[in-house]
Amino acid sequence: MAPFEVVVVIAQQDDPTVAETGEQVYQGLLDAGVEVIVDDRPVRAGVKFSDAELVGIPFRVTVGKRGLATGTVELTDRAAGTTVAIPLDEVAKHVREAVAGA
C-alpha cells in the first residue's frame, strides 16, 4: 500500500509560474480530501518520476511549462500506464474519479 494516493510533481521548480501553479494544484487536492504529497525538490523531473514509481504512488499529476502553455496538467495512472492531459480547473474532479476507480 502506497503512503499517498497522488504525487504532484512540479517539473520546473525554478520557474515561478510552474512552482506556484503546482502548489495551487497540491492545495486543491488536499482541500478535496485526496491523500497527496508534492515533490518540489530542485532536481530533474525524471528523478522525481523515478522516485514516485519506487515509492509506488498510484497517480502522478505533473505540472510543467508545456502543459501550462495549454492550460493543462498531466495525470498519469501508474497501474494502467496511461497519461492524459486535464484542464487545470478540473484537476480535483478527475483525480478523485481516478482514485475512486482504482
Side-chain angles (χ1 to χ4, degrees):
M1 180 163 202
F4 297 95
E5 296 168 321
V6 179
V7 59
V8 173
V9 172
I10 300 174
Q12 295 88 17
Q13 182 61 36
D14 58 340
D15 182 302
T17 303
V18 174
E20 181 178 329
T21 303
E23 292 295 333
Q24 290 170 351
V25 168
Y26 168 69
Q27 190 59 52
L29 291 172
L30 273 179
D31 293 346
V34 177
E35 294 178 14
V36 61
I37 188 169
V38 65
D39 191 342
D40 57 1
R41 297 175 294 158
V43 297
R44 294 179 303 110
V47 172
K48 296 176 186 186
F49 297 161
S50 294
D51 289 350
E53 185 74 24
L54 286 172
V55 174
I57 299 173
F59 297 96
R60 182 180 75 225
V61 174
T62 304
V63 181
K65 289 181 189 179
R66 184 179 52 204
L68 291 184
T70 60
T72 63
V73 297
E74 292 181 347
L75 175 61
T76 302
D77 180 333
R78 182 175 172 262
T82 58
T83 299
V84 295
I86 54 174
L88 273 170
D89 60 349
E90 297 180 12
V91 173
K93 174 185 169 249
H94 282 276
V95 169
R96 280 194 318 246
E97 289 173 359
V99 168

